[in-house]
Amino acid sequence: MHHKVYKCALQPFPPDLDEPILTIHQTISDVRGSFYQEKTVFLRCTVSSNPPARFIWKRETATLSHNQDNGVDIYEPLYTQGETKVLKLKNLRPQDYANYTCQVSVRNVCGIPDKSITFRLTNKTGAAWWGRTGGDKKLYRSKKSLQSPLWLKAEAAPPALKMSVNETLVVNPGDNVTMQCTLTGGDPPPKAVWSHSPNPMPPNSISKGGNLTIRQIRAEDSGFYNCTAINNVGNPAKKTVNLLVRSMRNLTYQITPDVIKESETIQLGQDLKLSCHVDAVPQDKVQYTWYKNQKVIKTSDRIVITKNDLELPPVTSSLEIIDLRFSDYGTYLCDASLPNLPLTLNSSEINISAETVPPSISVPRGQLVITVREGSTAELQCEVRGKPLPPVLWTRMDKEATFPNGEKLIETPDGKLRLENVTREMSGGYKCQTARYNGFNIRSREAAVQLNVQFAPVVEPKFQDLRLPMKRSVTLRCNMLKGSPVKVATAVWRFERSLLSVPPIEQQEFSEYKINSTRRETSGTYECTISNDVGSDSCVFQVTGRAYNPEFYYDTPNPIESFKQFKNYSYLIQWTQKEPGAVDPVLHYKLELKPPNMKGMNSFVVISRDSRKGFLYELRLTDLKIPQHYEVKITPHTVSGPGDSASRSIRYKEPVNYQSDGTCRFEDDKLCGFVQDKYDTFDWIRQSKVNQSLRRTANTGPVMDRSGKPEGFYMFIEASRPRRFGDKARLISPLYNITSRLPSLKTTYCVSFYYHMYGRHIGNLTVLLRLKNIVSQDIPLWSKKGDQGNKWQLENLQVNPTAPFQIVFECVIGKGVEGDMAIDDVTIRKGECLKRQIPPTKAVAAPSSAARHPLSGFRLWLVSFLLFVLLR
């Protein structure tokens, strides 16, 4: 078990202990019979404190523990704010009605007394609570406004409410509707909130307190309206109203020519059924009336009207004519109405005669395939014959595809589908079919139309930069990725905007042009324009023997030499050649040096010595004027002429202030060029015994720097507040240059430093090697964790970097305030580290000991071996 000691005098703020936050939750089961078995109560005790609080639950004066009683559970919930302990009283028994106390304690840290609150659980009110908050408010800061020790008393009861309307409310469109939700119980007083499902609350609604008013109600405002009351005691109270707005739409009819489905035509002597359906709210209140020749139909032995046919949607009216006769021919009509709704919907006239025939569908001649250009309008057509003529439903043959409006089905009354501003994605097959409503209820008739959308070609490559040696042949190829028509109609090649002679091509998906020998005269821009019957697209090729640009290497950011008495400095420029094998070898580099915004320029020529990729060139620039900055431009030259240039800036910086032996002792506030990391959690502190804080934590950190002088400085991290466990601080060295990447020419560096890691809560001190390539890379070199003693200790690290590098000192805060760390006397120099003489760690044997005889060790081993054998 870990014990922690809290010291109030060293803390910038005393610890916080909040007033306990307590809630009561009660659930009721419908299964159990008797009152005391059907309730479960949760008593929740929550506190926010530093240091952590200890919880004690008591029944009357007896302390409760987990599983002490089968009816009691004490647990910590998964998701809470602050520390929480829940007392669960399961299946209440008569003995469970008692006083329960939650006591929180920080064990009198900083003089903060215990706090407690008491619940009185009764079989009438569920639970009541009162409590006393102990302590003096001068001793701590609380997030709540606390008075002197006080008593709180209140009755806690779950919310209850009632509704002013029935569970189902039916109204007419345009009405103003008000629903009142009245709170009938709950302590503390609950608050009523209205919600609507499945949609949000309508914009024409006003909710105030428990009242909800919807003005000029619409059909789309129908749905379930919920009034919910919550006071964090027990379960929320909830009442729901199903609000229905009367409406009717989509009146349709069907003709079923043969009830037993043996025929699809109307014939005398067979049974005939007419059906009528409307989408209504409320659906079960719809009333249908059938007419023949404008007279209301009366039922008889042969005329049967039903409202719920098992073969049809619910609440569909069916008029069945048994043994159809000539006298039954005529014009039929169906209307639908709702009580209290001043609206009636009528079906179309349904003519029943020998001329009433089922539909047929076909595509007009020449309309099977429709070809249009992208962006234009397409009209697809299917012809329907028959009496009556049903609507036509259009779908796409590709079941996953939709129409531009996102729908998968479109209805047209005349069989014509009009598509505007068509795109290439709309190409494909379309199916038309007869609907089974407003016509014959028989198998749908179907037909198909193919839509082809023509669009301009899409080619690749859009642009290609070709770097080639002189006197090489190359074939340029422009590919047509997609287009409609899919074949190339024409291909036109141009060189520097002048037409080239290319043989005519056959129908294919690409075009080629061959350059037999690259020369200066054939270097330049080639363009191929591919066309089909709709439009065109172009490929562009840049063919040249120009060398790629040089790439600057990560050279030192500071001058390599500085002569203040002459007001000049020197700089080392390094670079490599990008893709040197792509073109003819680089003959030389031209370097131009110029102060920005000034006239005049110095030029240098560097002869190329090696054409291998990665070979490092360097040039020492001397007599640069302090503090002037410069722009440098490097251009490679081949037999074909100058190539692509690269530019960079040279900026003068003051030299790093190291001691004469190359060691940084942090005596200068410029830190010898070391910088704080911008992306860590906090910063290192430059500190000495003279300027250190008087409130600094005891029993951790160094007293003075490595030299033992009070005025000597060192770099330090403070682990006290506001620092937290895991916070990081990084100190980064200047950038050190590497002159070669070749493995045989590796440069060895020695990193030497003193560290101080003393305290019970010491975290991690890590040294990282940061390589500055195209992407920076941090490589761990050394790490220490935990207390290393109250002394400065030396560490030498030998590294062989393969790129310009920096050394990073990283500290990670441990689990407490006694975790201060420090470094001092950092040296980073070329060469191997000196081997340290290791002091003897074993005591020297006295002359009279067994060490005097060379066989004493062997004798000891022999005796041990014989004892081992005998014991076996």
Side-chain angles (χ1 to χ4, degrees), residues 492-710:
V492 177
W493 284 87
R494 291 180 174 85
F495 172 62
E496 299 294 346
R497 299 186 179 182
S498 299
L499 283 173
L500 295 174
S501 176
V502 179
I505 61 172
E506 299 180 358
Q507 290 292 319
Q508 55 190 16
E509 290 122 4
F510 63 89
S511 178
E512 292 181 338
Y513 180 79
K514 184 176 182 180
I515 303 174
N516 293 320
S517 177
T518 54
R519 306 184 304 276
R520 289 190 179 184
E521 295 78 13
T522 59
S523 298
T525 303
Y526 291 80
E527 181 180 9
C528 174
T529 302
I530 285 183
S531 305
N532 62 6
D533 295 337
V534 181
S536 61
D537 197 9
S538 297
C539 299
V540 177
F541 304 88
Q542 186 70 33
V543 180
T544 178
R546 290 166 57 92
Y548 284 102
N549 57 281
E551 294 178 318
F552 283 100
Y553 199 54
Y554 288 94
D555 41 43
T556 51
N558 299 325
I560 58 174
E561 291 178 338
S562 179
F563 307 98
K564 289 190 175 181
Q565 65 273 29
F566 303 110
K567 294 186 178 181
N568 60 20
Y569 66 98
S570 300
Y571 213 99
L572 184 67
I573 292 290
Q574 297 175 306
W575 71 92
T576 58
Q577 177 60 42
K578 179 181 177 182
E579 301 296 338
V583 297
D584 293 304
V586 175
L587 301 176
H588 65 270
Y589 292 91
K590 182 179 180 182
L591 187 145
E592 298 170 311
L593 185 67
K594 165 183 180 299
N597 305 321
M598 294 181 65
K599 295 182 179 180
M601 179 184 301
N602 294 328
S603 297
F604 306 90
V605 173
V606 178
I607 303 299
S608 175
R609 304 192 304 274
D610 198 323
S611 60
R612 289 178 300 168
K613 185 174 182 178
F615 182 80
L616 188 65
Y617 292 88
E618 61 181 38
L619 179 64
R620 184 188 185 98
L621 302 176
T622 60
D623 200 25
L624 304 179
K625 301 302 180 183
I626 296 176
Q628 184 66 59
H629 303 329
Y630 292 85
E631 295 290 333
V632 61
K633 177 181 177 183
I634 301 179
T635 306
H637 286 253
T638 63
V639 294
S640 64
D644 295 343
S645 301
S647 299
R648 64 153 295 176
S649 297
I650 295 175
R651 295 188 175 275
Y652 175 77
K653 292 185 180 179
E654 287 290 336
V656 176
N657 185 19
Y658 285 99
Q659 301 295 329
S660 58
D661 58 355
T663 299
C664 181
R665 296 184 173 87
F666 302 109
E667 301 304 317
D668 189 347
D669 58 4
K670 294 183 180 180
L671 305 181
C672 313
F674 280 78
V675 294
Q676 309 279 359
D677 191 345
K678 296 180 180 179
Y679 304 104
D680 57 7
T681 315
F682 68 107
D683 287 343
W684 290 73
I685 304 169
R686 178 174 168 267
Q687 185 168 287
S688 70
K689 180 177 177 58
V690 175
N691 74 346
Q692 68 183 12
S693 173
L694 297 177
R695 303 177 67 182
R696 182 175 150 183
T697 308
N699 301 319
T700 185
V703 177
M704 287 181 284
D705 78 337
R706 214 272 304 178
S707 67
K709 299 177 180 179

Side-chain angles (χ1 to χ4, degrees), residues 83-102:
E83 302 168 70
T84 300
K85 283 290 189 297
V86 174
L87 174 65
K88 179 181 180 183
L89 305 174
K90 303 179 290 185
N91 303 328
L92 291 182
R93 304 158 298 181
Q95 61 265 34
D96 291 328
Y97 295 104
N99 293 331
Y100 294 88
T101 300
C102 172

Side-chain angles (χ1 to χ4, degrees), residues 26 125-127 156-160 185-187 190 231 233-235 237:
Q26 178 174 291
T125 61
D187 193 0
N231 69 346
V233 178
N235 295 323

Side-chain angles (χ1 to χ4, degrees), residues 142-154:
S142 174
K143 295 179 182 176
K144 295 191 173 182
S145 175
L146 297 181
Q147 305 295 328
S148 305
L150 83 154
W151 288 84
L152 303 174
K153 187 173 181 180

